[in-house]
Amino acid sequence: MSGAGVPAARERRHTLYFLGEIRVFAPVFLDTEVDMSAVLAHRAATRGTGRPYSLVTYVLHGAARVLADHPEANAAALGGLVPRVLRHGSVDGKLTLDKTLGGRRVVLSAVLPDLDRASLAEIQRQVWHYADGDPATMPEFAALTRLQRLPRLIGALAFRRVVRPLRTRARRFGTFAVTSLGHRAVDGFHSVGGTTITLGVGRIVQRPVVRDGRIVIAPIMRLNLAFDHRVVDGAEAADVLTEIKQALEDFTEPDPGPAEPAAAPEPAEAAETRSPLTEGSPR
């Protein structure tokens, strides 16, 4: 074995370019616990009509509506001698995906636009589109595969040129990000997704909680939030996290119908472990 090591895999170059770009961030981390009883009840009510909703879909749905009410947090910063902050005109969610590309397991991301105006079913259809698709053939990832073929220095410069301008950043990075490792034994984790607000989703675990003075068992999920301190302060970020928690705990939807036709519903076990989603499977 050579002591000099080997070059980083071509399929991971976009991740290295991304990490170089977010070094300027000033991340601060918050976390809370969410009682997912209402979400799981809605999910159970729709399970028999087709594929079950993914848990990240509920997070995307709730977070987008909260951020629409917090335009200061739905923004981006650019450093330099004269730092600038731009409030985005839409609420676009970036979702991380655990995929295989060129025979190598990689993290990719997809931007789901205008989520504050999208229904739960509309968001879920977009999530399934990316969860089920092959990145090697999907047109949405064609630019990324071309980027990976460039020499590293040219690739890094090309990546920077595309993602750095504030006016186009939302189309590349989204205005907030959601990433999940809850398919494994991970209670919670913090990640910086290149957006002012990044949500990290952990697993759901049955835990004792107090309700009306009584101890009961409830499905609890750890929800973490990383925010860029250049854009917002802790009080604003705490409001955002609290309101997302409330949106999930008080979740109701006027029409709990299926997100896709129910002609061939899958067994629950198959639906739970279908194609990769976020940094795990569709939950």
Side-chain angles (χ1 to χ4, degrees):
M1 179 181 297
S2 172
V6 297
R10 182 185 300 270
E11 292 79 11
R12 293 197 69 248
R13 285 182 181 176
H14 65 283
T15 298
L16 301 181
Y17 301 153
F18 167 76
L19 293 174
E21 280 299 300
I22 65 171
R23 287 176 183 170
V24 298
F25 274 56
V28 180
F29 305 101
L30 310 176
D31 70 82
T32 190
E33 291 185 341
V34 181
D35 185 338
M36 296 291 283
S37 296
V39 166
L40 294 184
H42 178 271
R43 195 180 190 220
T46 60
R47 186 186 298 274
T49 60
R51 291 173 66 180
Y53 284 97
S54 304
L55 294 179
V56 292
T57 298
Y58 293 94
V59 177
L60 288 163
H61 180 272
R65 281 151 177 76
V66 170
L67 285 170
D69 292 334
H70 289 269
E72 297 85 358
N74 192 56
L78 185 65
L81 294 177
V82 183
R84 289 177 291 155
V85 174
L86 174 70
R87 293 185 182 180
H88 297 298
S90 59
V91 183
D92 308 326
K94 172 186 168 183
L95 180 65
T96 60
L97 303 149
D98 176 21
K99 288 292 192 178
T100 299
L101 189 62
R104 182 175 296 273
R105 190 176 186 181
V106 296
V107 177
L108 303 180
S109 63
V111 175
L112 284 56
D114 300 318
L115 292 188
D116 56 316
R117 298 193 294 271
S119 69
L120 192 73
E122 290 168 342
I123 297 172
Q124 184 63 69
R125 282 191 286 269
Q126 294 186 69
V127 169
W128 278 329
H129 170 72
Y130 287 105
D132 293 344
D134 180 357
T137 60
M138 294 177 71
E140 294 90 342
F141 295 113
L144 180 139
T145 55
R146 289 196 299 268
L147 177 71
Q148 292 173 340
R149 292 193 293 268
L150 294 174
R152 279 175 290 180
L153 179 58
I154 296 175
L157 292 174
F159 184 86
R160 180 183 305 171
R161 182 179 180 182
V162 168
V163 306
R164 187 164 290 186
L166 286 177
R167 66 183 182 277
T168 58
R169 187 177 298 178
R171 295 204 301 268
R172 310 297 180 181
F173 278 177
T175 67
F176 75 101
V178 174
T179 183
S180 172
L181 286 175
H183 69 295
R184 304 297 286 174
V186 176
D187 289 327
F189 75 107
H190 293 283
S191 174
V192 177
T195 52
T196 293
I197 299 294
T198 300
L199 298 168
V201 179
R203 63 176 176 168
I204 295 178
V205 179
Q206 297 292 327
R207 300 188 188 277
V209 299
V210 178
R211 290 181 182 165
D212 300 323
R214 299 177 56 204
I215 296 177
V216 298
I217 303 299
I220 302 299
M221 182 184 77
R222 181 78 59 81
L223 181 65
N224 301 323
L225 182 149
F227 70 91
D228 189 349
H229 211 335
R230 299 176 304 162
V231 182
V232 294
D233 294 324
E236 181 79 17
D239 288 346
V240 169
L241 182 59
T242 299
E243 291 175 29
I244 296 172
K245 168 185 169 74
Q246 292 171 343
L248 293 170
E249 293 188 338
D250 300 334
F251 179 82
T252 57
E253 188 186 29
D255 178 11
E260 70 174 10
E266 295 181 281
E269 307 83 44
E272 289 292 326
T273 58
R274 201 176 163 102
S275 60
L277 168 65
T278 65
E279 299 193 57
S281 58
R283 303 194 306 133

